[in-house]
Amino acid sequence: MARMKFLCDSDRCIECNACVTACKNEHEVPWGINRRRVVTINDGKPGERSISMACMHCTDAPCAAVCPVSCFYTTADAIVLHDKDLCIGCGYCFYACPFGAPQYPKVGNFGGRGKMDKCTYCAGGPQQDNSAVEYVQYGANRIAEGKLPLCAEMCSTKALLAGDGDIIAGIYKERVQRRGYGSGAWGWRTAYKQDLTV
Amino acid sequence: MIRHLPAALLALTLSAGAVQAQAPTPSPGRGTVSAEEMEMQRMLQGGRIEGRVSIPDARAASLIQPQGREWREFHNRTLAWVGGVAVLGILGLLLAFFGVKGRIPIPGGASGRTMTRFSLLERANHWMVATCFIILGLTGLNLTFGRHLLLPLLGPEAFTAASLWGKVAHNYLAFPFTLGITVMLLLWAKDNLPERRDIDWLKLGGGFFGKGHPVAGRFNAGQKMVFWITVLGGGLVAASGYVLIFPFTVTDIAGMQLAHMVHGIIAVLMIAAMLAHIYIGSVGMEGAFDAMGSGQVDYNWAKEHHGLWVEEEVEKARQTVLPPGARAAGGD
Ligand code: SF4
Ligand code: SF4
């Protein structure tokens, strides 16, 4: 089984936000929630980089560790998913997540956040694969169809890579070796306790 | 094939050039950034990796916040341990105390004569706060311990239903709770100011451990402690709780993590303190419950525990009954 990961090569990302748009459209993500976003650091300064970030599907995922109702589960491909029927919208996963992935459909005053929503790695949820109920709650299930996440598929510069961690790390390393520079794999140290030094 | 040849040649020469130059640098002005270094540095020194986003949600500009790890550590270990040890520890101590001392009787038995200790307002307010506190405490503990204790018993659906209602109750009962402790502060603060004799009371162990019973006014040092734990602890728990039920209104994610830590730790310590308070006000001591039950306490009980207060009350009663200048004749 593969160990699915995301890797954003920020030396290629041009902040076009196609991944963000593709995700919103593919899953009909509600207003106010962005399962994926592009953050530009050092904006307008030397060292400016744009990084496309979503749930990293962490090893020993912090969200799952703190959830008071234990509604997370990890698939055989190491994708971290959750059950919205069990979520109580407490916000704990949001405090614990290093990447700001968990989000809520409502403002949250008086504790009424609604059910947590986050990137599913295009793998849906606990419902029947590609059923209407699954789509409404979690969006499309491309993994069940043998496809990779749409954000990475859509990426015009192939900055955003999705797939088995070893394979995408290999692609990235090769790139860095060829071009001679690379900012590294954003979030890998935090999410997978792994450095991608080339 | 032929069409692609020039490009292939170009790539070849470029990569040959790259090998010769050893490490071609990115175009000048792009600077160097290392994801690993930035993550490592933030993890060790605090702070977040933040930038700019083009979507309206400004919170999305936080790229990586390694502090989530500390919060997780707090929630899963520190809070669970402190809470578990505090609550079980105090229960164990109370049980042991009950085993050794049993129920503390009224010295000389009940006299049958009573005096008013708490008015209806005081009692109603106490029980409003108490009811809120018990529900707030149980629903709060559920968020830390429920998944270990209740989830296996109830199953996921029923546990989620219970936790969801618990969360709603927790959020809304915060309001009557806060109102109640404010009223407590107004009603009782003046009788709970620390005095010199509180030190003697504490030195004598409140009469629980040593011989002889220390004198006290309306509230003894132990009750004053309960009062200030309730008012100050409750105030802090309430304030930090409001920060959490209005996310991002007052502070950012770091502030909310901190608010949760303050909220959780003070709450479990308060639960432990209140268990002792509940014990002594019910099974632990004969005659104590009446104070908050009917509001009427036995005269002998009052004399033993709140002698100075009894004297004051009796003095007040004389002032109202007798015309000024009249001489008291014996009596109390
Ligand atoms: S990125 Fe956040 S939501 Fe995703 S697995 Fe990690 S902790 Fe959970
Ligand atoms: S918001 Fe939902 S998924 Fe997140 S920790 Fe709370 S119950 Fe679990």
Side-chain angles (χ1 to χ4, degrees), chain A residues 37 43 47 65 97-98 183 187 190, chain B residues 30 35 39 52 60 62 65 147:
Chain A
R37 68 204 190 269
D43 188 26
C97 173
S183 313
T190 308
Chain B
R30 269 183 64 76
E39 278 172 59
R52 175 188 60 76
S62 163
Q65 60 107 12
R147 62 175 170 165

Side-chain angles (χ1 to χ4, degrees), chain A residues 13-31:
Chain A
C13 177
I14 56 168
E15 203 206 350
C16 69
N17 281 290
C19 49
V20 177
T21 316
C23 174
K24 284 219 78 147
N25 187 59
E26 176 76 352
H27 305 296
E28 288 177 16
V29 178
W31 275 104

Side-chain angles (χ1 to χ4, degrees), chain A residues 54-58 61-64 72 80 93 96-102 116 118 191:
Chain A
C55 169
M56 291 290 280
H57 302 274
C58 305
C63 53
F72 288 86
V80 179
C93 49
C97 173
F99 306 106
M116 186 273 276
K118 74 169 189 69

Side-chain angles (χ1 to χ4, degrees), chain A residues 11 15 17 37 40 43 47 49 60 65 67-68 86 88-89 92 95 97-98 108-111 183 187 189-190 195-196, chain B residues 29-31 33 35-36 39-40 51-54 60 62 64-65 68 72 76 143 147 160 167 244-245 247 257 260:
Chain A
D11 296 286
E15 203 206 350
N17 281 290
R37 68 204 190 269
T40 303
D43 188 26
R49 296 290 184 281
D60 179 25
C67 177
L86 297 181
I88 59 167
Y92 281 14
Y95 302 145
C97 173
N109 284 349
F110 299 97
S183 313
R189 152 167 280 281
T190 308
D195 277 352
L196 254 199
Chain B
R30 269 183 64 76
V33 189
E36 278 103 39
E39 278 172 59
M40 182 74 130
R52 175 188 60 76
V53 279
S54 48
S62 163
I64 303 177
Q65 60 107 12
R72 168 188 178 171
N76 282 18
L143 288 187
R147 62 175 170 165
T160 277
K167 191 192 83 164
L244 294 174
I245 52 172
Q257 287 166 337
H260 172 272

Side-chain angles (χ1 to χ4, degrees), chain B residues 256-267:
Chain B
M256 283 156 64
Q257 287 166 337
L258 185 69
H260 172 272
M261 294 184 185
V262 170
H263 191 79
I265 282 291
I266 299 183

